[in-house]
C-alpha cells in the first residue's frame, strides 16, 4: 500500500509538471498570437489597434504567475502528502515492532514461571523427596509465583496509569519506603547488594506510597537485571530546598546515550527481543516515568563511573494540591 501510494503520487507529480509546461507553452503562444494581431491591426488601420499591447502583456504575465503559483502549491501539497505517508508508515512500523517485542517478552515472561511451577509441582507429586529438597522446591515455586504475580501487577498498573489512576498523596518517609523495598528485594535476590544511604534522614515527602514503592522496586530490579552478578546497587537520598533527590546507582552494563529518551517509552527495550537474555516486558521504566511525572517530579539518566547507570529522581516535598485522578 505504501509503494502504491508513492507510485500514484509520483505519477501525479510528473503529470503536474507536464501540464504546467503545456499551459506555459499555451500561454506563451497566446501572447505571441495577440502580439502579431496587434501588429497586423496597426498596419491595416494605419496606426490604430483595437487591442492594447500593455493589456496583452499584463494578461500574459498574470497567466504565467497563476500557472506557476498553482503548480507550485499543488506540487508542494503532493510532496507534503508523501512526507506524511512516510512518517505515518515509519510510526506504524515502530509501533508494530514495539507490540511484537511486547508480545514476545510477555509470552516468554508468562510461560517461563508457569512452566517452572508445573515442572516443580510434578516433581514433588511423582517423587518422594527428602525434607530439605522438598523445601527447596517449594521455595522455588514460591519465587516463580512471586515473579508471575509481579508481571501481572505491572501489566495492570500500566493499564491503570493509561486509563487514569487516582493518586492519594500523604506525608511519608521516603527512607522508610526505600528500606522496606530494599529488604523485600534482598530476600528475592540474596546475591545482590542493595545499599540505602540517606544519612539517617527520614526524607519526609508527599507521595502516593504504593505508587512510589513501585517506582523504587522497578528501578532497583532494573539495575539488578542489567548488572553482572553479584549486582551492587547504591541508593543515595538527600533533601533539597523544595524537593527530595534520590539517586539509584548501579555498576551494570550501562545505557547508550542515544537510548536515554527511548527507554521510558512503553514496551521499549534495548536490543532484539528474540536474542535478548535479560527478563522484562519494557513496562518498568515507563511506569516509573508516569508515576514520577504524576508527582510533578523529574527523572533523568546518566552514566556512572567507571561503569553503570545512575537514575536521578527529583520529587517536590509538597503535592497535596494534586490529590486527583491523573492519567
Amino acid at each position: 500500500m505504501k509503494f502504491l501510494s508513492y507510485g500514484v503520487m509520483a505519477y501525479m507529480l510528473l503529470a503536474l509538471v507536464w501540464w504546467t509546461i503545456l499551459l506555459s507553452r499555451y500561454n506563451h503562444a497566446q501572447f505571441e498570437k495577440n502580439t502579431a494581431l496587434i501588429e497586423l491591426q496597426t498596419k491595416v488601420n494605419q496606426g490604430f489597434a483595437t487591442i492594447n499591447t500593455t493589456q496583452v502583456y499584463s494578461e500574459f504575465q498574470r497567466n504565467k504567475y497563476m500557472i506557476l503559483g498553482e503548480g507550485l502549491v499543488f506540487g508542494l501539497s503532493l510532496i507534503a502528502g508523501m512526507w506524511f505517508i512516510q512518517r505515518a508508515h515509519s510510526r506504524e512500523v515502530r509501533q508494530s515492532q514495539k507490540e511484537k517485542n511486547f508480545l514476545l517478552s510477555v509470552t516468554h515472561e508468562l510461560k517461563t514461571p508457569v512452566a517452572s511451577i508445573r515442572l516443580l509441582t510434578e516433581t514433588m507429586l511423582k517423587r518422594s523427596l527428602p525434607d530439605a529438597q522438598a523445601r527447596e522446591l517449594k521455595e522455588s515455586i514460591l519465587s516463580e509465583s512471586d515473579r508471575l504475580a509481579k508481571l501481572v501487577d505491572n501489566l495492570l498498573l500500566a493499564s491503570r496509569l493509561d486509563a487514569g489512576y487516582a493518586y492519594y498523596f500523604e506525608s511519608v518517609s521516603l527512607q522508610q519506603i526505600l528500606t522496606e523495598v530494599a529488604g523485600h528485594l534482598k530476600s528475592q535476590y540474596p546475591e545482590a547488594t542493595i545499599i540505602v544511604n540517606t544519612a539517617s534522614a527520614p526524607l519526609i515527602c508527599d507521595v502516593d506510597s504504593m505508587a512510589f514503592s513501585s517506582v523504587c522496586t522497578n528501578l532497583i530490579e532494573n539495575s539488578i537485571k542489567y548488572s553482572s552478578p553479584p549486582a551492587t546497587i547504591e541508593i543515595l537520598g538527600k533533601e533539597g530546598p523544595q524537593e527530595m533527590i534520590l539517586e539509584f546507582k548501579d555498576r551494570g552494563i550501562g545505557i547508550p546515550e542515544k537510548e536515554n529518551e527511548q527507554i521510558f517509552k512503553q514496551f521499549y527495550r534495548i536490543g532484539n527481543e528474540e536474542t535478548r537474555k535479560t527478563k522484562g516486558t519494557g513496562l518498568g521504566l515507563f511506569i516509573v516515568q508516569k508515576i514520577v511525572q504524576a508527582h510533578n517530579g523529574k527523572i533523568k539518566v546518566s552514566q556512572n563511573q567507571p561503569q553503570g547507570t545512575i537514575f536521578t529522581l527529583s520529587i517536590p516535598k509538597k503535592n497535596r494540591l494534586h490529590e486527583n485522578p491523573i492519567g
Side-chain angles (χ1 to χ4, degrees):
M1 184 60 70
K2 171 190 173 185
F3 295 107
L4 178 61
S5 301
Y6 280 161
V8 171
M9 287 194 171
Y11 170 78
M12 293 176 67
L13 193 58
L14 291 173
L16 172 65
V17 173
W18 176 243
W19 280 106
T20 301
I21 294 173
L22 288 181
L23 287 173
S24 297
R25 287 178 178 176
Y26 176 78
N27 185 45
H28 194 269
Q30 283 293 107
F31 173 70
E32 291 182 342
K33 179 181 176 181
N34 289 334
T35 302
L37 184 60
I38 291 173
E39 292 178 354
L40 179 62
Q41 286 184 343
T42 301
K43 291 178 180 179
V44 172
N45 297 329
Q46 298 171 344
F48 176 77
T50 58
I51 304 175
N52 188 288
T53 305
T54 304
Q55 289 179 343
V56 170
Y57 183 74
S58 176
E59 184 179 358
F60 166 74
Q61 289 291 99
R62 184 171 61 253
N63 289 338
K64 182 176 74 172
Y65 289 132
M66 182 182 68
I67 292 169
L68 293 176
E70 290 183 355
L72 182 62
V73 170
F74 194 57
L76 290 175
S77 299
L78 282 174
I79 293 172
M82 294 175 71
W83 180 77
F84 279 116
I85 288 176
Q86 173 63 30
R87 185 182 178 189
H89 175 73
S90 299
R91 185 165 54 243
E92 183 179 343
V93 169
R94 288 195 300 270
Q95 183 64 27
S96 177
Q97 185 62 45
K98 284 166 61 178
E99 291 176 358
K100 177 185 175 184
N101 284 350
F102 174 69
L103 289 174
L104 285 171
S105 61
V106 168
T107 300
H108 174 74
E109 290 292 296
L110 286 173
K111 286 176 66 176
T112 302
V114 169
S116 297
I117 291 171
R118 181 182 179 85
L119 179 61
L120 292 169
T121 305
E122 287 179 347
T123 301
M124 293 184 67
L125 289 174
K126 292 179 180 179
R127 299 181 184 179
S128 179
L129 302 173
D131 291 344
Q133 191 173 358
R135 179 178 179 80
E136 185 178 343
L137 292 181
K138 290 175 183 178
E139 289 177 350
S140 295
I141 291 174
L142 185 60
S143 176
E144 292 297 324
S145 299
D146 287 342
R147 176 181 165 190
L148 190 59
K150 193 174 298 180
L151 172 62
V152 173
D153 287 343
N154 264 353
L155 290 170
L156 291 174
L157 181 55
S159 176
R160 290 171 65 193
L161 290 175
D162 275 339
Y165 175 80
Y167 289 88
Y168 177 73
F169 293 90
E170 57 183 340
S171 183
V172 297
S173 167
L174 298 188
Q175 181 196 43
Q176 182 179 348
I177 292 177
L178 288 169
T179 302
E180 290 175 356
V181 170
H184 177 68
L185 292 177
K186 183 64 179 175
S187 63
Q188 289 185 282
Y189 304 96
E191 75 285 354
T193 300
I194 305 173
I195 304 168
V196 178
N197 185 358
T198 62
S200 300
L203 303 179
I204 303 300
C205 188
D206 289 347
V207 298
D208 182 301
S209 298
M210 291 184 63
F212 201 77
S213 293
S214 179
V215 168
C216 298
T217 299
N218 276 299
L219 286 176
I220 296 172
E221 283 198 322
N222 190 74
S223 294
I224 293 173
K225 282 191 299 184
Y226 290 96
S227 296
S228 299
T232 299
I233 297 91
E234 184 179 9
I235 307 163
L236 302 178
K238 59 182 178 180
E239 183 174 352
Q242 302 295 330
E243 72 286 328
M244 299 297 179
I245 300 171
L246 301 178
E247 291 184 348
F248 294 75
K249 300 182 177 182
D250 65 56
R251 302 171 191 171
I253 61 175
I255 299 173
E257 191 171 346
K258 63 180 181 180
E259 305 279 359
N260 284 358
E261 296 298 324
Q262 302 293 325
I263 58 174
F264 295 105
K265 293 183 178 179
Q266 194 173 21
F267 308 140
Y268 186 86
R269 298 187 71 208
I270 299 173
N272 189 311
E273 198 65 45
E274 295 174 350
T275 59
R276 186 183 294 109
K277 295 180 180 179
T278 54
K279 302 172 183 178
T281 59
L283 288 174
L285 292 180
F286 165 76
I287 290 172
V288 167
Q289 187 184 54
K290 291 281 285 187
I291 293 174
V292 169
Q293 288 176 344
H295 284 71
N296 300 302
K298 297 178 181 178
I299 181 171
K300 67 176 183 178
V301 58
S302 57
Q303 300 296 321
N304 197 6
Q305 298 299 330
Q307 74 174 56
T309 304
I310 302 175
F311 285 94
T312 303
L313 275 63
S314 176
I315 306 294
K317 294 180 181 179
K318 299 296 180 183
N319 265 307
R320 293 186 177 275
L321 295 178
H322 305 280
E323 293 183 7
N324 60 320
I326 301 175

